[in-house]
């Protein structure tokens, strides 16, 4: 067997490279990437900030986001209330902080569900082709004919408008495009000689898919997922803005903008400014990060951005 | 070319049929039917009235009959009546469509007016401050929510200039001045968002084209920079840009939903949102299907333009 001496060879190499050196090298290569891609590094910082805010919302928020205190309604930003207070005296800063948790949660779950389902469909379609592929891909085409937000709106209208259903709707919007890209990648990965070799050796389908085809698909999946995370936060905010997503009194950025931001915009513009700024920064972070990932992983696009 | 057009047309029909099935199916997966949901919200309607309404709307028939009836209505441009207002959907569509078309066309014009010059500037001054500013503007256009920009613009126009967009829609035929006042801001905001992807595409394709041999020849001949960039390079670079503009029109359609709601423009988007809020399913399914049809048609047109511009595609 050819396999044996090769595995001992790799074992020997790993003896020569102590793990600490590998770790140090990784840190250095990360640093060099950050130097070459300052925008990507800034995006990563934005995302990190968002994630930390979401996780530590309980520690960071100075007030209870639901606590109403009519005596301090519509206060301008001050040291006590950095983003001011809304029409029933809730602290906008605390609500924006808890909003990060909600947005990120919706985004992660929607993109998670959408990406996993899309990838499964794409893998099945690309690997087996045949009539199932034809039917599923035509269904995906049909879903793609409906503009994303309108499809999400229609889905939410059928179910009841709330956060969970908005999330499901976004997941469904994500599936078609994702499955198409995965399918394309699988079709080309299948052409590789090592896949053919694995098949000739009688390797079971599941193993071929998991260990030979899936690694080809991960880079495009991660790129799309990052860009979709931004989009998902955007769509959730849009749905909530229209009153068809998260319902009051939950602190959703889109809802804050529409319910109090627009009603009191002339007296209290901060009610509209800060939640919108939060949405923009979150979406910007994921968009830039996705762009950078694409630059790094897709050599064909390098230097084009 | 004729053969290519025919082939593409034949491919479009099954997709449209499938998307109509998706839309129709979607409207019927809700628990109970459209009426139980509607009645649960309005309350106090007797069972007999409900039965009558159900019969009037054809909801008592089997699904396949309902589907065929609906398709027939759509094909004959007579898509039934709204449950909520009782108006014929065709009448409200006739009022709404021109509004959305005007908004979308203006937004597209704005978008291209921003995207192409900025894209060209960015590409010809690659990695210089102009380029960075251009790219930053583009990526922020992708990230700033349209509803946020709209809210801010309305707020600060009111606070600083005391200017509020005129209320109540006026068509361009009644008073072009009032009409343009109503459409300028929403179209500019939509256009700004639209410009982002187009600008990025213009920049990256132009960068590629500028490195081609024929452009170097043009430089070597001593041609003027403006002539080289705008006549020789940009023409070739614009082909992929057309695709991206076409692909963006779906987003534009979705954008009109939000912008029309904020600026109180009685277009298709607002009609759809209102129908969704009142669970007016005949209007929702008609409008969603209309959006899908428009999108498919636009994609078809984009493909055909592409084939027309680049003969290699036709002969594949």
């Amino acid at each position: 067997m050819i396999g044996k001496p090769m595995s001992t060879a790799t074992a020997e190499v790993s003896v020569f490279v102590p793990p600490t050196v590998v770790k140090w090298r990784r840190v250095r290569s990360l640093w060099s990437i950050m130097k070459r891609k300052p925008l990507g590094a800034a995006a990563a910082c934005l995302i990190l900030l968002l994630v930390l805010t979401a996780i530590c919302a309980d520690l960071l928020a100075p007030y209870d986001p639901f606590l109403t205190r009519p005596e301090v309604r519509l206060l301008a930003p001050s040291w006590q209330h950095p983003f001011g207070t809304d029409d029933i005296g809730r602290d906008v800063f605390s609500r924006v902080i808890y909003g990060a948790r909600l947005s990120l949660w919706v985004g992660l779950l929607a993109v998670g569900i959408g990406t996993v389902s899309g990838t499964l469909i794409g893998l099945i379609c690309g690997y087996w082709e045949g009539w199932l592929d034809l039917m599923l891909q035509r269904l995906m085409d049909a879903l793609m004919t409906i503009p994303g937000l309108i499809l999400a709106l229609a889905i939410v209208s059928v179910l009841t408008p709330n956060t969970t259903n908005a999330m499901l709707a976004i997941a469904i919007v994500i599936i078609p495009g994702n499955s198409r890209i995965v399918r394309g990648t699988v079709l080309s990965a299948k052409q590789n000689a090592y896949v053919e070799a694995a098949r000739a050796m009688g390797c079971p389908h599941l193993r071929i898919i998991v260990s030979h085809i899936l690694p080809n698909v991960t880079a495009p999946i991660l790129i799309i997922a990052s860009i979709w995370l931004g989009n998902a936060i955007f769509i959730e905010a849009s749905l909530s803005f229209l009153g068809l997503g998260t319902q009051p009194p939950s602190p959703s950025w889109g809802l804050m903008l529409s319910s109090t931001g627009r009603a009191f915009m002339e007296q209290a513009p901060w009610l509209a400014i800060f939640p919108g700024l939060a949405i923009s920064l979150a979406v910007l972070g994921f968009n830039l990060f996705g762009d950078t990932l694409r630059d790094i992983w897709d050599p064909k696009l390098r230097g084009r951005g | 070319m004729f053969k290519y057009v025919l082939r593409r047309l034949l491919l479009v029909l099954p997709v449209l049929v499938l998307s109509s099935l998706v839309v129709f199916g979607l409207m019927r997966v809700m628990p109970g039917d459209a009426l139980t949901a509607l009645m649960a919200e309005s309350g106090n309607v007797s069972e007999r009235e409900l039965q009558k309404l159900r019969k009037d709307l054809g909801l008592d028939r089997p699904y396949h009959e309902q589907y065929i009836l609906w398709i027939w209505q759509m094909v004959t441009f007579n898509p039934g009546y709204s449950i909520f207002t009782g108006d014929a959907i065709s009448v409200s569509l006739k009022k709404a469509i021109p509004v959305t078309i005007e908004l979308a066309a203006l937004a597209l014009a704005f978008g291209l007016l921003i995207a192409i010059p900025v894209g060209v500037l960015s590409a010809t001054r690659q990695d210089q401050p102009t380029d960075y500013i251009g790219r930053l503007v583009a990526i922020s256009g992708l990230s700033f929510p349209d509803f946020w920009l709209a809210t801010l613009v309305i707020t600060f126009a009111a606070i600083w200039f005391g200017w509020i967009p005129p209320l109540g829609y006026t068509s361009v035929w009644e008073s072009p001045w009032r009409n343009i006042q109503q459409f300028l801001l929403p179209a500019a905001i939509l256009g700004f968002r639209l410009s982002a992807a187009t600008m990025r595409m213009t920049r990256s394709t132009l960068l590629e084209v500028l490195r081609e041999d024929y452009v170097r020849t043009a430089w070597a001949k001593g041609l003027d920079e403006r002539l080289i960039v705008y006549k020789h390079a940009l023409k070739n670079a614009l082909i992929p840009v057309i695709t991206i503009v076409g692909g963006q029109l779906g987003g534009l359609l979705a954008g009109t939903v939000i912008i029309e709601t904020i600026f109180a423009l009685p277009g298709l988007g607002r009609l759809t949102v209102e129908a969704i809020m009142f669970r007016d399913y005949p209007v929702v399914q008609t409008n969603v299907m209309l959006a899908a049809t428009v999108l498919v048609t636009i994609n078809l047109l984009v493909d055909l333009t592409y084939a027309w511009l680049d003969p290699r595609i036709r002969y594949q």
Side-chain angles (χ1 to χ4, degrees):
Chain A
M1 288 287 279
I2 303 168
K4 251 193 172 165
M6 270 182 70
S7 63
T8 41
T10 42
E12 268 169 11
V13 170
S14 63
V15 170
F16 280 103
V17 185
T20 44
V21 175
V22 172
K23 216 174 172 183
W24 183 233
R25 241 185 227 165
R26 275 204 193 132
V27 172
R28 279 225 316 247
S29 77
L30 191 69
W31 176 241
S32 77
I33 286 176
M34 275 167 65
K35 260 202 309 200
R36 269 189 292 124
K37 302 272 174 207
L39 274 181
C45 291
L46 264 179
I47 295 174
L48 198 69
L49 185 75
L50 182 72
V51 172
L52 285 179
T53 312
I55 294 172
C56 312
D58 300 315
L59 296 172
L60 289 171
Y63 299 90
D64 178 354
F66 299 102
L67 180 73
T68 58
R69 290 195 304 159
E71 69 274 16
V72 292
R73 68 191 291 269
L74 296 178
L75 285 186
S78 63
W79 282 113
Q80 272 85 41
H81 300 280
F83 292 175
T85 58
D86 68 5
D87 56 321
I88 45 177
R90 291 176 298 196
D91 179 48
V92 178
F93 184 57
S94 308
R95 288 178 68 73
V96 168
I97 287 176
Y98 276 91
R101 183 178 277 186
L102 192 134
S103 289
L104 205 62
W105 179 241
V106 171
L108 281 175
L109 272 180
V111 173
I113 298 171
T115 306
V116 170
S117 330
T119 306
L120 272 179
I121 295 176
L123 278 173
I124 292 170
C125 285
Y127 189 77
W128 277 287
E129 300 184 55
W131 63 269
L132 187 69
D133 170 41
L134 198 75
M135 302 237 319
L136 279 173
Q137 285 306 313
R138 292 297 81 75
L139 181 68
M140 296 297 124
D141 284 349
L143 278 174
M144 276 177 105
T145 57
I146 308 169
L149 182 67
I150 296 177
L151 179 62
L153 276 173
I155 294 170
V156 170
S157 79
V158 169
L159 311 163
T160 34
N162 60 38
T163 314
T164 319
N165 289 338
M167 198 178 72
L168 275 179
I170 298 167
I172 294 174
V173 172
I174 296 175
I175 294 174
N178 204 306
S179 83
R180 189 181 270 186
I181 289 168
V182 172
R183 178 177 174 273
T185 319
V186 172
L187 280 178
S188 73
K190 246 179 25 176
Q191 307 295 323
N192 285 324
Y194 56 81
V195 176
E196 211 173 314
R199 202 174 293 160
M201 279 165 64
C203 194
H205 290 307
L206 193 68
R207 175 117 183 252
I208 296 180
I209 291 178
V210 172
S211 56
H212 298 296
I213 288 183
L214 207 56
N216 289 295
V217 185
T218 32
I221 289 179
L222 284 176
I223 295 169
I224 311 165
S226 168
I227 291 172
W228 261 113
L229 261 169
N231 278 342
I233 291 176
F234 195 103
I235 297 179
E236 190 276 330
S238 307
L239 288 175
S240 303
F241 183 82
L242 291 171
L244 292 163
T246 304
Q247 297 299 313
S250 290
S252 153
W253 292 335
L255 182 67
M256 288 164 76
L257 244 173
S258 71
S259 62
T260 58
R262 283 179 71 206
F264 298 93
M265 55 192 184
E266 276 169 56
Q267 311 163 42
W270 55 87
L271 290 179
I273 292 174
F274 294 110
L277 201 61
I279 303 170
S280 308
L281 287 178
V283 178
L284 184 70
F286 284 113
N287 275 345
L288 277 177
F289 192 67
D291 263 15
T292 312
L293 280 187
R294 186 162 44 193
D295 273 6
I296 294 171
W297 275 333
D298 195 346
K300 272 175 288 177
L301 294 172
R302 214 162 267 170
R304 283 181 49 177
Chain B
M1 185 72 193
F2 177 73
K3 233 174 159 180
Y4 179 80
V5 173
L6 203 70
R7 201 170 61 206
R8 290 289 330 199
L9 274 176
L10 283 178
L11 277 172
V12 159
L13 268 180
V15 169
L16 272 181
V17 170
L18 258 171
S19 45
S20 72
L21 273 172
V22 167
V23 173
F24 181 83
L26 194 65
M27 291 297 123
R28 271 145 191 91
V29 290
M30 62 177 103
D33 61 28
L35 283 186
T36 11
L38 186 76
M39 292 311 152
E41 273 153 34
S42 61
N44 72 61
V45 175
S46 74
E47 191 55 35
R48 262 185 58 200
E49 276 175 75
L50 209 64
Q51 289 298 344
K52 189 181 167 302
L53 203 58
R54 199 166 274 155
K55 205 168 169 194
D56 289 346
L57 288 163
L59 285 172
D60 55 343
R61 297 197 215 169
Y63 285 149
H64 61 274
E65 277 181 32
Q66 285 185 40
Y67 175 72
I68 291 166
L69 184 73
W70 175 53
I71 292 296
W72 178 246
Q73 286 177 334
M74 294 286 287
V75 173
T76 54
F77 296 107
N78 180 28
Y81 297 88
S82 146
I83 300 183
F84 211 75
T85 57
D87 295 340
I89 298 177
S90 51
V91 174
S92 41
L93 281 184
K94 233 173 251 163
K95 278 189 216 152
I97 290 175
V99 178
T100 301
I101 289 183
E102 187 184 349
L103 183 60
L106 275 174
L108 195 63
F110 261 110
L112 290 179
L113 271 178
I114 303 172
I116 292 177
V118 176
V120 170
L121 268 181
S122 237
T124 48
R125 288 168 179 65
Q126 193 189 4
D127 291 329
Q128 285 171 22
T130 329
D131 181 25
Y132 280 114
I133 295 171
R135 285 160 74 185
L136 210 65
V137 169
I139 197 105
S140 52
L142 276 179
S143 313
F144 293 168
D146 32 17
F147 49 88
W148 185 51
L149 287 177
T151 312
L152 287 190
V153 166
I154 296 181
T155 308
F156 286 104
I159 293 179
W160 288 338
F161 309 112
W163 183 80
I164 300 164
L167 292 171
Y169 166 72
T170 338
S171 86
V172 81
W173 315 116
E174 280 172 55
S175 159
W177 174 238
R178 242 176 100 90
N179 176 274
I180 208 72
Q181 277 191 323
Q182 283 174 329
F183 278 84
L184 205 62
L185 273 182
I189 290 167
L190 273 177
F192 173 57
R193 272 188 59 75
L194 197 71
S195 68
T198 319
M199 179 254 145
R200 278 150 56 105
M201 196 68 191
T202 311
R203 176 180 179 275
S204 66
T205 50
L206 193 59
L207 275 179
E208 222 168 69
V209 173
L210 282 174
R211 287 185 179 77
E212 300 261 343
D213 290 341
Y214 77 93
V215 175
R216 197 184 307 138
T217 312
W219 279 110
K221 277 201 305 190
L223 285 186
D224 185 38
E225 186 190 350
R226 193 175 296 172
L227 201 66
I228 295 171
V229 172
Y230 286 94
K231 194 166 173 208
H232 291 248
L234 190 62
K235 238 183 184 174
N236 252 336
L238 280 185
I239 298 179
V241 174
I242 294 173
T243 329
I244 202 126
V245 171
Q248 292 244 294
L249 290 180
L252 181 60
L253 222 56
T256 56
V257 171
I258 288 192
I259 289 291
E260 282 173 9
T261 311
I262 297 177
F263 284 92
L265 294 173
L268 267 182
R270 206 168 77 136
L271 193 69
T272 313
V273 170
E274 276 169 5
I276 284 173
M277 280 173 180
F278 295 130
R279 292 173 164 258
D280 196 344
Y281 87 94
V283 180
V284 177
Q285 69 185 16
T286 308
N287 286 7
V288 174
M289 197 54 223
L290 190 67
T293 316
V294 169
L295 202 60
V296 169
T297 316
I298 289 171
N299 283 338
L300 180 72
L301 286 178
V302 168
D303 281 0
L304 294 183
T305 323
Y306 216 93
W308 178 56
L309 288 172
D310 188 346
R312 279 170 301 180
I313 295 167
R314 271 177 258 162
Y315 298 109
Q316 259 177 24

